[in-house]
């Protein structure tokens, strides 16, 4: 079997186990994507039709990589297969799968194929309006907090009706319930779904409609779920419903990298897989192809203290590698200076800046790091500034969405005065209430002109390529004219709009209408990692959470201090074992991002929320045997730290 060449013994074992439930425990850097893609190729070579194979992962970046590798393997094999899109394996994220299922069955839940997807800011606005509508102050009842509760409930497969049965006399739950009712009404009015609905509604379609469930069970005979440790209850449910009686489900994951319990990820899904699918085969991938043995030994020592895990021990044939550098800084500014200096040294010796990552536990740590990078002249990029969330980009997308879905009131509200048309709040209220006969002649004319723009976009969408439609929208809406004569920042906004047209060219191969719909879908589902421009020569600054799934030659882990990393927010219990284990898993993730070398640092003093505090080194530092560490002396900055025994 030529297609199995290059796989190690355990990877081959995982590839050859094709029928029935399979659990692949893949340690960090153990080649799980290679294993999944070769497993898919093996299934096809064994006679399974490509279109009968489903593969789901979490991020767009991971799905894109997997899709490209699968298609490349198929093309390079000696198989004589068709190349049409519909006859390939279906590789996507969970949310994209949800969009696919909902679009194909939209009428069942009162939607059209062109339903809108609320992003976080749309949802926040709707929740804020709901609070006002029920007579509560959004300053007193934080919309983000209420939205998080609703989101977590939906992730737990709980809809509004089920939530209402558990409200009881708890005042805050009553508030959430009232807001949720108004929020759902706003979504229905706009023929829209929010991010969590993409999973909740698709699960409902599969569960409540046997014909729909049978359709997808018959479409996908073999299912692969990547990063299974990160699945929540609703994702678990979707996977189980599609797997059906065949139970040809292969899940790949690593308990030691479960770091998202705060957003609903349930570690029990992977721990209980063998109970949920009796007779399941388990394969453990322990050979690491990313890191040096020193890095892996440190990671193994860190994670072995956790109780909720499967036993495994990462190893590599790539050599021992350098020791981990440990730097005790005077304060956060000294720490940031050290990191910027070492980054500059590495770049000066020929390292690609994009192969250097600075990881931290809390977002506030980036300020000192950014300042130090600027002072040292090191190009850097903070992960998390989303292209699709820039105002000007959202404006163009809103025009196209509103044209295709006239009931998307949030999009209409966003753009009705961009460029300015002199349509005030009172007029907008009349329009949204259907009282068009009460508009003044001047306002009626403006409303008509606005609709004419949307009509023109719709007409073009039926025959234009996605990129040409974006270009047309920029010009026809007056956005180009508005920004062309503006200041430098307006020119930058116009460039960002034009960049959207460039990005849209990758959808130009699709049928007109479908291409623009896919662009709108991908824009709604974009994540932070999608914004990491791989070609940009810059050091990456990001939280450890954001680094999951990425790898770099050199990794700096900053702020290794008790109560910062491991992190404990105010009011949390120091005896909370689950929190402690997740923090330890998070540090394990940080360590295993590195290929060549790790630099760890902690400060003796750190200013947090305006208060200068004495910091205690993290327990994680002491869990790494001394032979793997090399301490670096601090440059004298005039500071002296005095420790007191308490």
């Amino acid at each position: 079997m030529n297609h199995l060449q290059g796989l190690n013994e355990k990877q081959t074992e995982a590839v050859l186990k094709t029928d029935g439930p399979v659990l692949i425990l893949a340690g960090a850097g153990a080649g799980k994507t290679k294993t999944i893609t070769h497993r898919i190729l093996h299934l096809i070579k064994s006679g399974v039709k490509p279109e009968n194979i489903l593969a789901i992962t979490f991020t767009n970046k991971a799905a894109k990589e997997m899709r490209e590798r699968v298609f490349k393997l198929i093309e390079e094999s000696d198989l004589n297969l068709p190349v049409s899109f519909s006859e390939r394996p279906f590789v996507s994220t969970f949310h994209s799968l949800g969009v696919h299922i909902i679009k194909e069955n939209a009428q069942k839940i009162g939607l059209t194929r062109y339903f809108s997807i609320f992003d976080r800011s749309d949802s926040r606005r709707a929740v804020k309006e709901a609070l006002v509508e029920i007579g509560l102050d959004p300053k007193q009842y934080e919309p983000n907090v209420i939205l998080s509760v609703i989101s977590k409930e939906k992730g737990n497969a709980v809809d509004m009706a089920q939530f209402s049965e558990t409200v009881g006399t708890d005042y805050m739950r009553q508030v959430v319930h009232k807001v949720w009712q108004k929020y759902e009404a706003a979504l229905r009015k706009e023929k829209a779904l929010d991010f969590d609905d993409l999973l909740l509604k698709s699960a409902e379609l599969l569960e409540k409609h046997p014909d729909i469930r049978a359709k997808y069970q018959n479409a996908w005979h073999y299912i692969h779920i990547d990063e299974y440790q990160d699945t929540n209850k609703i994702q678990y449910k979707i996977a189980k419903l599609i797997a059906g009686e065949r139970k040809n489900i292969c899940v790949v994951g690593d308990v030691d990298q479960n770091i998202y319990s705060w957003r609903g990820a349930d570690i029990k899904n992977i721990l209980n897989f063998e109970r949920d699918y009796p007779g399941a085969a388990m394969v453990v991938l322990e050979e690491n192809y990313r890191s040096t043995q020193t890095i892996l030994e440190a990671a193994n020592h860190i994670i072995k203290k956790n109780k909720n895990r499967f036993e495994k021990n990462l190893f590599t044939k790539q050599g021992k590698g350098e020791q981990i550098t440990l730097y005790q800084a005077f304060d956060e500014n000294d720490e940031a200076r050290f990191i910027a200096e070492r980054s500059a040294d590495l770049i000066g010796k020929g390292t690609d800046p994009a192969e250097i990552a600075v990881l931290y536990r809390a977002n506030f740590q980036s300020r000192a790091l950014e300042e130090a990078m600027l002072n040292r002249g090191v190009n850097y990029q903070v992960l998390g500034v989303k292209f699709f969330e820039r105002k000007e980009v959202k404006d163009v997308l809103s025009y196209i969405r509103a044209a295709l879905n006239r009931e998307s009131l949030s999009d209409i509200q966003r753009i009705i005065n961009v460029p300015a048309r002199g349509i005030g709040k009172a007029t907008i209220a009349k329009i949204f209430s259907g009282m068009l006969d009460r508009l003044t002649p001047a306002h009626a004319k403006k409303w008509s002109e606005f609709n004419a723009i949307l009509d023109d976009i719709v007409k073009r969408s039926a025959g234009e390529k996605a990129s040409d439609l974006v270009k047309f929208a920029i010009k026809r809406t007056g956005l180009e004219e508005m920004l062309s004569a503006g200041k430098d920042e307006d020119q930058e906004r116009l460039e960002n709009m034009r960049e959207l047209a460039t990005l849209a060219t990758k959808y130009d191969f699709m049928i007109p209408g479908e291409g623009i719909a896919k662009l709108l879908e991908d824009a709604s589902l974009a994540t932070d990692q999608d914004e990491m421009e791989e070609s940009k020569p810059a050091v990456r600054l990001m939280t450890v959470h954001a680094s999951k799934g990425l790898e770099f030659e050199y990794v700096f882990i900053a702020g290794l201090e008790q109560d910062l990393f491991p992190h404990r927010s105010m009011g949390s219990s120091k005896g909370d074992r689950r929190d402690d284990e997740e923090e330890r898993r998070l540090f394990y993730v940080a360590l295993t991002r590195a290929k060549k070398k790790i630099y760890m640092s902690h400060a003796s003093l750190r200013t947090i929320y305006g208060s200068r505090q004495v910091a205690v080194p993290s327990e994680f530092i002491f869990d790494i045997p001394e032979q793997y560490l090399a301490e670096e002396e601090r440059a004298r900055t005039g500071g002296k730290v005095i420790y007191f025994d308490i």
Side-chain angles (χ1 to χ4, degrees):
M1 296 185 182
N2 291 335
H3 62 286
L4 300 181
Q5 289 182 356
L7 299 176
N8 65 36
E9 183 183 343
K10 287 295 182 179
Q11 289 172 335
T12 302
E13 183 184 345
V15 166
L16 295 178
K17 288 184 185 296
T18 54
D19 293 326
V22 180
L23 170 60
I24 302 174
L25 292 174
K32 65 183 177 68
T33 303
K34 182 177 183 178
T35 304
I36 298 171
T37 54
H38 278 75
R39 190 176 193 272
I40 291 171
L41 178 64
H42 178 68
L43 283 168
I44 296 170
K45 278 186 167 283
S46 301
V48 178
K49 291 181 179 179
E51 61 266 31
N52 290 149
I53 299 171
L54 173 68
I56 303 298
T57 187
F58 272 76
T59 67
N60 294 329
K61 185 175 184 294
K64 180 175 181 287
E65 179 189 356
M66 188 182 293
R67 190 181 301 115
E68 289 173 349
R69 287 171 70 167
V70 166
F71 295 169
K72 189 170 186 286
L73 281 174
I74 292 172
E75 287 168 5
E76 291 177 350
S77 71
D78 54 3
L79 296 164
N80 185 23
L81 291 172
V83 293
S84 70
F85 190 78
S86 62
E87 294 171 300
R88 290 177 169 183
F90 191 100
V91 184
S92 80
T93 64
F94 264 108
H95 287 90
S96 291
L97 172 66
V99 171
H100 176 79
I101 292 172
I102 292 167
K103 276 188 173 181
E104 290 197 334
N105 305 279
Q107 290 182 329
K108 295 271 189 182
I109 51 176
L111 297 172
T112 69
R113 285 182 61 84
Y114 294 110
F115 67 88
S116 297
I117 301 173
F118 270 25
D119 64 17
R120 188 74 178 181
S121 62
D122 294 327
S123 293
R124 195 183 303 115
R125 172 194 53 76
V127 166
K128 187 176 179 181
E129 289 173 357
L131 280 165
V132 172
E133 202 172 334
I134 64 174
L136 296 176
D137 185 357
K139 292 180 180 177
Q140 185 179 355
Y141 297 89
E142 174 57 47
N144 276 331
V145 173
I146 293 175
L147 191 56
S148 293
V149 174
I150 295 172
S151 177
K152 195 157 190 177
E153 292 292 340
K154 288 183 177 183
N156 285 330
V158 175
D159 61 21
M160 189 180 67
Q162 293 167 312
F163 182 77
S164 67
E165 297 171 4
T166 66
V167 170
T169 58
D170 186 283
Y171 181 68
M172 266 312 297
R173 287 180 72 81
Q174 289 179 346
V175 169
V176 171
H177 182 233
K178 289 175 184 176
V179 170
W180 196 343
Q181 288 177 309
K182 299 290 184 184
Y183 177 59
E184 287 298 320
L187 286 166
R188 282 195 302 274
K189 188 176 181 181
E190 299 197 31
K191 292 284 193 291
L193 298 177
D194 67 16
F195 209 59
D196 302 296
D197 286 330
L198 300 179
L199 301 181
L200 186 64
K201 297 297 183 185
S202 55
E204 286 178 4
L205 284 165
L206 292 168
E207 189 171 34
K208 295 179 180 179
H209 300 274
D211 57 326
I212 293 175
R213 183 167 65 251
K215 172 185 173 182
Y216 293 109
Q217 287 175 350
N218 290 328
W220 297 313
H221 299 176
Y222 290 87
I223 302 165
H224 302 76
I225 310 290
D226 192 14
E227 304 287 8
Y228 194 67
Q229 78 281 348
D230 291 335
T231 53
N232 60 18
K233 288 183 180 177
I234 199 73
Q235 290 160 335
Y236 166 87
K237 194 175 199 177
I238 291 169
K240 195 157 192 178
L241 286 166
I242 296 175
E245 291 303 314
R246 285 192 183 88
K247 293 185 173 62
N248 289 331
I249 180 169
C250 173
V251 304
V252 187
D254 183 4
V255 177
D256 297 334
Q257 295 187 71
N258 172 266
I259 60 173
Y260 294 120
S261 67
W262 50 277
R263 69 183 189 196
D266 192 343
I267 197 172
K268 292 177 185 174
N269 291 348
I270 191 167
L271 290 173
N272 295 340
F273 183 81
E274 292 171 291
R275 187 196 69 184
D276 294 336
Y277 295 91
M282 183 168 79
V283 183
V284 184
L285 306 182
E286 295 176 295
E287 184 174 353
N288 177 285
Y289 293 91
R290 176 188 300 158
S291 309
T292 66
Q293 191 62 39
T294 293
I295 291 169
L296 297 181
E297 289 292 346
N300 287 333
H301 275 87
I302 285 295
I303 205 62
K304 71 181 180 182
K305 281 195 169 185
N306 277 4
K307 306 296 183 203
N308 293 314
R309 63 187 297 261
F310 293 103
E311 185 62 37
K312 69 176 187 306
N313 206 50
L314 295 181
F315 69 92
T316 186
K317 296 174 182 174
Q318 300 198 119
K320 185 178 179 182
E322 294 185 57
Q323 287 177 295
I324 296 169
T325 294
L326 177 63
Y327 182 73
Q328 178 183 340
F330 172 66
D331 59 12
E332 68 270 19
N333 295 316
D334 180 34
E335 177 187 51
R337 178 202 57 76
F338 164 76
I339 292 171
E341 289 285 352
R342 289 296 165 274
S343 297
D345 291 345
L346 289 168
I347 294 166
K349 292 174 182 175
T351 300
D352 179 353
E355 284 291 344
I356 302 172
V358 184
L359 310 183
Y360 38 83
R361 180 62 182 82
N363 276 304
F364 76 84
Q365 292 173 257
S366 71
R367 184 207 56 79
L369 291 164
E370 287 188 67
E371 194 173 294
M373 293 289 179
L374 284 169
N375 289 339
R376 189 61 182 77
V378 176
N379 288 331
Y380 68 92
Q381 179 188 14
V382 181
L383 196 63
V385 182
K386 295 184 181 180
F387 175 76
F388 287 117
E389 287 192 358
R390 291 174 175 141
K391 179 187 181 302
E392 58 275 13
V393 173
K394 289 187 76 168
D395 287 343
V396 178
L397 294 173
S398 282
Y399 264 109
I400 298 171
R401 267 198 300 266
L404 297 173
N405 176 13
R406 297 299 172 90
E407 293 178 83
S408 182
L409 302 184
S410 58
D411 284 309
I412 291 173
Q413 187 171 15
R414 178 183 184 85
I415 53 167
I416 196 167
N417 277 309
V418 184
R421 291 186 178 85
I423 300 178
K425 289 183 179 179
T427 304
I428 293 172
K430 289 177 186 176
I431 292 169
F432 285 2
S433 301
M435 297 185 290
L436 298 179
D437 56 329
R438 298 192 186 181
L439 297 180
T440 65
H443 284 141
K445 183 172 183 290
K446 290 173 182 176
W447 173 241
S448 176
E449 289 170 347
F450 174 74
N451 275 281
I453 294 171
L454 301 186
D455 289 340
D456 286 348
I457 293 173
V458 170
K459 289 173 190 171
R460 290 284 190 125
S461 69
E464 295 273 13
K465 293 185 294 187
S467 60
D468 288 338
L469 185 65
V470 171
K471 292 174 189 173
F472 175 76
I474 292 169
K475 188 177 289 290
R476 177 67 181 87
T477 57
L479 292 170
E480 184 175 62
E481 184 180 353
M482 177 183 76
L483 296 174
S484 292
K487 300 176 182 176
D488 288 346
E489 59 188 29
D490 289 331
Q491 290 295 324
E492 186 177 340
R493 291 191 183 106
L494 183 56
E495 286 171 8
N496 287 333
M497 287 183 182
R498 288 171 175 163
E499 180 62 23
L500 178 63
T502 301
L503 185 149
T505 57
K506 74 176 186 178
Y507 303 90
D508 284 350
F509 74 94
M510 301 177 76
I511 298 168
E514 288 187 10
I516 200 66
K518 191 72 172 70
L519 169 63
L520 294 174
E521 175 191 325
D522 288 352
S524 297
L525 302 182
T527 64
D528 287 354
Q529 286 192 2
D530 300 324
E531 300 308 312
M532 192 172 71
E533 304 165 47
E534 295 185 17
S535 60
K536 185 175 180 179
V539 174
R540 316 303 198 199
L541 272 58
M542 68 188 83
T543 64
V544 182
H545 280 102
S547 75
K548 176 91 179 337
L550 305 177
E551 59 180 42
F552 306 89
E553 289 183 2
Y554 298 92
V555 169
F556 292 84
I557 307 174
L560 278 168
E561 298 137 32
Q562 283 300 105
D563 297 341
L564 180 54
F565 199 4
H567 187 76
R568 289 192 180 92
S569 58
M570 292 180 66
S572 67
S573 168
K574 293 197 176 188
D576 187 336
R577 180 175 292 179
R578 176 168 289 185
D579 284 349
D580 286 347
E581 290 214 347
E582 182 143 335
E583 286 299 307
R584 193 167 285 277
R585 291 195 292 269
L586 193 58
F587 184 52
Y588 173 85
V589 166
L591 291 170
T592 54
R593 298 312 91 202
K595 292 189 270 189
K596 288 185 177 179
K597 182 171 173 62
I598 294 171
Y599 296 83
M600 302 192 311
S601 57
H602 63 99
S604 300
L605 294 172
R606 187 173 295 274
T607 304
I608 299 179
Y609 304 126
S611 173
R612 200 158 173 80
Q613 303 171 10
V614 173
V616 178
S618 170
E619 65 191 70
F620 296 154
I621 294 173
F622 302 107
D623 287 339
I624 299 174
E626 287 185 11
Q627 68 260 36
Y628 302 120
L629 299 174
E631 292 193 51
E632 179 156 335
E633 288 294 317
R634 180 171 75 241
R636 296 300 168 195
T637 56
K640 185 178 181 181
V641 181
I642 302 174
Y643 292 100
F644 296 91
D645 291 329
I646 298 174

